[in-house]
Amino acid sequence: MRMNCKSAFLLLSLSLSAGYSYSQVAGDEDKDMFNQAKARDERAIEAAKNGWWTASMKNHEERIQWWRDAKFGMFIHWGLYSIPEGEWKGKIVDGYAEHLMRKEKISRAAYLDLAHQFNPLKFNAEEWIMDAKKAGMNYFIVTAKHHDGFAMFDSKVSDFDVIDQTPFKRDPMAELAAAAKKHGMKFGFYYSHAFDWEDPNAPGNDWEYKNPGGDQLIGGANWFDNHPEWLPKAQKYVNEKAIPQIKELINTYHPDILWFDTPHKLPFSENLRILQAIRETDPNIVVNGRLARSATGNFGDYLNTGDRPAEFRTVAGDWEAIPTTNESYGYSKHDHSHKPASFFIRLLANASSRGGNLLMNIGPKGDGSFDQKDQRILDSIGPWLHKNSVSIFGTQRSGLPIPAWGVSTQKDRQVYLHVFEWPKDGKLLLAGLKTDVKLAYLLNDPAKKKLGVKRLSPVDLSISVPEQSPDAVDAVVVLELNAPLAVDTLRLLADKDLTNRLLSFDAALHGKGFGFGDGKTNRYFVDGLKEKGQYFSWDVKTLAPARYKVLVKYLGGVDPKGTYRIQLGAMNQEMPAFVQKSGVVTQEIGQVSLSKGQCQLKLSAENAHGMELMKLLEVQLIPIAL
């Protein structure tokens, strides 16, 4: 039965805060990493779907099962760029340290001087693999060749490699592959197939070779469509370096997974050709979603989020996020923005609750050692994950609505409640569970002392928990069910102590033209709010009368006269959409009192002129004592 929320509304003041900070450099990454499908690409897509690709997907489920089970992996960005440590000729180079060659327009000859210095005597492949294993990770991916074009393995295709050009004279990829096999770790490579700044035929280097695909946008972003006469040059690179080196990696090291990036630098037809070569060489290798994807679909084995996400969208299918410990993937001694281990523990739980994997990056130093700050993060994640592994590994995406206190995962007849914010009154409220609970207990209680469970309604429960949280980062409560899980998806608002964050990523979108941010801190937005009739909605409920302060957080749009409308119960308020070039706008809308029942929160374009009103991040409902 649908119940209406009755409310009283009090308009309050407006506040702005400039909390948005983004330290990356333009050009380090692109918003949309996929090609636009032109006629050439459409022919390649048709051939793939009618032939080799469809055949290759017949064993997709078998191929990807180990990856689904793995959940948590180690990503390593390590190469010649690790030697300068984010600095060049006395100058600090901001952003991604692995993009040093591009940012400083370093010639191939000058970059070779770095190779002649590369002698990482502290590198120990077994220690790297064991560090990952101790942290609870189950797969390991390392940069065999990044955008600089330098092969960190013994390549017979090119002499621009670690054996021919460095005093190290060892193959670190071979050593890592052997250590991974020894310790039961799934293993694979990152290979930059589209960018290659040392090869005169490849996209990317516009400072020495005047090639397309670089920062100067020679020929445009879609240079291969604007100048098809340039394409044979890039195809020569694909034929003579990219595909042969990828086959070298497959045939020499037998990886379980290959990881690619920046597919938009090549036409989609070339990306498909590379994927076809992989499938023909070894049909059992898992391939990530950044090799061959376009507006028509993804031809890899799973999807990828944007770089360095802090929030996730719930999407269908298999997906993976790639956070890094600070803001750079390669090592920079100047980047001290390391997140606490708690950030990654909660991120892993959140990813698992939405059916995704976490591939966490570390950039080792040029000498082959890990920075102490990175090591501390790994050493802190491991103990939590080993104690709570059953709540992550082997679990499925949760069917329960998102709670204010954390996230949940599930497995068969077990539900795992990951409580980030412990209830102050000892009553943990859980919405949406129709199935009866046979037993509730704290996962890390050796005695499995039974927690009291009280059913508040056919779909809502109250669980009695200790006054103090057993784990301030993520305390896990286990529910053993009497029958298979049955759920109701209506979201419950906390009515005290906890802030209800209704993310735009979790909203129902009404209208056309919306797009999504990449999920980074303060970039987990939905954009495209331009026309009257477009709106966001969240269906929610309360279990008792409650009062809330309402805040809206967004990045400023471009419409100086634009307004939007917030509706929740009796609240029906038009607000100005502020134009703000940087920072997060936080608008305090007012207070609203809700009675027990179901209602809908709606944010809509009101006074719109075809220009973006805002990039919406979230609406917050903060309980106020009645």
Side-chain angles (χ1 to χ4, degrees):
M1 178 178 177
R2 187 178 182 88
M3 301 179 68
N4 294 322
C5 285
K6 298 179 181 178
S7 60
F9 167 58
L10 173 64
L11 181 64
L12 292 182
S13 61
L14 170 73
S15 67
L16 302 178
S17 68
Y20 174 54
S21 172
Y22 182 54
S23 61
Q24 280 302 314
V25 176
D28 280 7
E29 53 188 310
D30 293 83
K31 180 178 182 294
D32 295 314
M33 290 190 184
F34 58 77
N35 300 111
Q36 303 300 317
K38 301 295 182 180
R40 173 197 60 248
D41 300 333
E42 290 169 353
R43 289 193 296 270
I45 291 169
E46 183 179 3
K49 288 184 174 179
N50 291 333
W52 66 267
W53 181 77
T54 298
S56 76
M57 292 303 288
K58 289 180 180 178
N59 73 327
H60 173 259
E61 291 298 302
E62 179 183 354
R63 178 168 65 231
I64 203 172
Q65 190 57 53
W66 72 260
W67 178 91
R68 286 177 181 154
D69 295 338
K71 292 288 186 186
F72 190 32
M74 171 81 88
F75 209 5
I76 292 287
H77 277 64
W78 189 55
L80 301 185
Y81 46 79
S82 305
I83 302 171
E85 301 182 337
E87 189 174 303
W88 188 249
K89 295 183 178 179
K91 171 190 171 185
I92 296 174
V93 182
D94 292 329
Y96 288 167
E98 66 275 16
H99 285 218
L100 177 77
M101 188 180 185
R102 171 184 64 81
K103 289 176 180 177
E104 296 305 307
K105 312 305 179 191
I106 302 170
S107 68
R108 185 185 190 277
Y111 206 69
L112 266 178
D113 289 339
L114 279 181
H116 300 154
Q117 301 170 38
F118 188 71
N119 194 23
L121 298 181
K122 292 184 179 180
F123 169 71
N124 185 308
E126 193 152 347
E127 286 183 2
W128 283 17
I129 297 296
M130 288 307 298
D131 279 340
K133 198 174 183 72
K134 289 174 184 175
M137 296 164 169
N138 291 312
Y139 61 119
F140 190 105
I141 297 174
V142 60
T143 47
K145 188 198 86 168
H146 206 268
H147 303 330
D148 58 4
F150 189 80
M152 294 290 288
F153 60 99
D154 184 8
S155 177
K156 303 300 186 289
V157 174
S158 167
D159 65 358
F160 199 64
D161 75 343
V162 70
I163 296 296
D164 291 306
Q165 301 295 345
T166 78
F168 191 48
K169 300 299 180 187
R170 284 163 53 188
D171 184 341
M173 301 299 105
E175 294 178 26
L176 285 166
K181 183 177 181 180
K182 175 181 176 182
H183 293 286
M185 178 77 70
K186 292 292 185 179
F187 180 78
F189 300 111
Y190 173 119
Y191 184 90
S192 178
H193 72 291
F195 259 152
D196 192 307
W197 298 326
E198 76 89 16
D199 193 296
N201 296 308
N205 186 330
D206 55 15
W207 59 93
E208 189 171 12
Y209 306 135
K210 302 303 178 186
N211 283 346
D215 294 335
Q216 297 179 38
L217 285 180
I218 296 172
N222 292 335
W223 62 266
F224 33 77
D225 295 320
N226 300 330
H227 291 277
E229 70 276 11
W230 296 355
L231 187 52
K233 187 177 177 183
Q235 289 173 326
K236 179 178 173 65
Y237 154 72
V238 170
N239 289 334
E240 296 182 5
K241 186 175 184 183
I243 288 178
Q245 281 194 331
I246 291 168
K247 287 185 174 180
E248 271 189 321
L249 291 171
I250 295 171
N251 292 323
T252 304
Y253 308 99
H254 309 288
D256 302 292
I257 185 169
L258 291 174
W259 214 98
F260 298 92
D261 206 2
T262 62
H264 52 294
K265 299 300 178 181
L266 284 172
F268 192 63
S269 54
E270 290 302 294
N271 295 326
L272 275 180
R273 206 157 60 82
I274 292 170
L275 180 58
Q276 183 177 4
I278 295 168
R279 294 297 182 222
E280 290 172 349
T281 307
D282 186 344
N284 295 316
I285 290 177
V286 172
V287 177
N288 78 313
R290 289 191 186 178
L291 171 58
R293 74 181 188 186
S294 73
T296 65
N298 193 312
F299 286 72
D301 285 312
Y302 62 86
L303 303 173
N304 284 103
T305 70
D307 293 356
R308 308 179 351 266
E311 302 287 355
F312 303 127
R313 281 196 298 136
T314 297
V315 297
D318 301 303
W319 60 273
E320 176 187 70
I322 53 167
T324 186
T325 52
N326 49 12
E327 294 299 301
S328 177
Y329 286 87
Y331 179 70
S332 172
K333 66 182 178 183
H334 300 288
D335 188 339
H336 304 296
S337 60
H338 292 73
K339 299 117 184 151
S342 59
F343 173 86
F344 298 102
I345 291 170
R346 291 182 175 186
L347 202 67
L348 176 60
N350 191 6
S352 298
S353 76
R354 296 172 185 257
N357 281 21
L358 209 64
L359 182 63
M360 192 185 88
N361 180 80
I362 281 178
K365 295 180 180 181
D367 63 8
S369 66
F370 285 178
D371 185 282
Q372 288 186 353
K373 293 185 287 295
D374 292 328
Q375 191 68 56
R376 282 195 294 269
I377 292 171
L378 288 174
D379 292 344
S380 298
I381 293 173
W384 182 92
L385 191 50
H386 288 295
K387 287 191 301 182
N388 296 280
S389 61
V390 69
S391 70
I392 299 292
F393 301 118
T395 61
Q396 304 167 345
R397 68 178 67 222
S398 176
L400 292 165
I402 301 168
W405 41 256
V407 298
S408 64
T409 56
Q410 62 192 60
K411 180 193 306 178
D412 300 325
R413 296 189 181 187
Q414 282 78 41
V415 173
Y416 302 96
L417 309 180
H418 293 261
V419 186
F420 305 157
E421 306 294 337
W422 199 251
K424 294 180 180 179
D425 62 358
K427 302 297 181 184
L428 184 66
L429 298 182
L430 176 65
L433 184 61
K434 295 180 178 180
T435 313
D436 287 336
V437 175
K438 179 171 62 176
L439 180 65
Y441 55 92
L442 295 172
L443 179 58
N444 285 306
D445 178 5
K448 289 186 170 49
K449 181 181 177 181
K450 185 176 180 180
L451 302 177
V453 177
K454 180 182 179 182
R455 186 162 287 283
L456 305 176
S457 79
V459 296
D460 303 304
L461 301 174
S462 174
I463 304 164
S464 297
V465 295
E467 184 176 329
Q468 296 295 323
S469 172
D471 190 316
V473 174
D474 180 358
V476 181
V477 175
V478 183
L479 305 181
E480 294 186 3
L481 307 181
N482 282 323
L485 183 69
V487 302
D488 176 86
T489 59
L490 190 61
R491 186 166 178 170
L492 174 65
L493 296 178
D495 58 9
K496 56 185 173 182
D497 300 331
L498 303 176
T499 294
N500 298 281
R501 299 179 63 219
L502 305 181
L503 303 188
S504 63
F505 274 10
D506 297 322
L509 306 181
H510 305 267
K512 297 180 179 179
F514 291 110
F516 298 95
D518 52 26
K520 295 179 182 64
T521 299
N522 293 336
R523 291 182 60 85
Y524 51 95
F525 56 74
V526 174
D527 59 16
L529 190 67
K530 300 178 180 180
E531 305 288 345
K532 190 174 178 64
Q534 292 177 300
Y535 68 96
F536 304 84
S537 69
W538 298 261
D539 291 321
V540 296
K541 68 179 179 182
T542 56
L543 295 181
R547 192 179 189 187
Y548 299 94
K549 180 167 68 175
V550 182
L551 302 179
V552 177
K553 296 181 68 175
Y554 59 90
L555 305 185
V558 295
D559 188 344
K561 297 182 179 179
T563 63
Y564 67 97
R565 184 171 295 278
I566 284 282
Q567 295 169 270
L568 176 62
M571 177 186 281
N572 189 345
Q573 180 64 31
E574 184 178 2
M575 298 295 295
F578 282 86
V579 175
Q580 187 165 311
K581 292 183 179 180
S582 63
V584 174
V585 178
T586 301
Q587 283 182 304
E588 186 173 325
I589 309 301
Q591 293 183 7
V592 61
S593 294
L594 304 178
S595 62
K596 177 181 177 180
Q598 177 179 338
C599 57
Q600 184 178 85
L601 171 61
K602 183 177 177 181
L603 186 151
S604 56
E606 181 66 23
N607 192 15
H609 308 90
M611 295 182 287
E612 186 162 72
L613 295 178
M614 64 170 67
K615 299 180 188 293
L616 180 66
L617 296 168
E618 61 184 278
V619 179
Q620 293 186 355
L621 301 180
I622 304 172
I624 299 171
L626 291 173

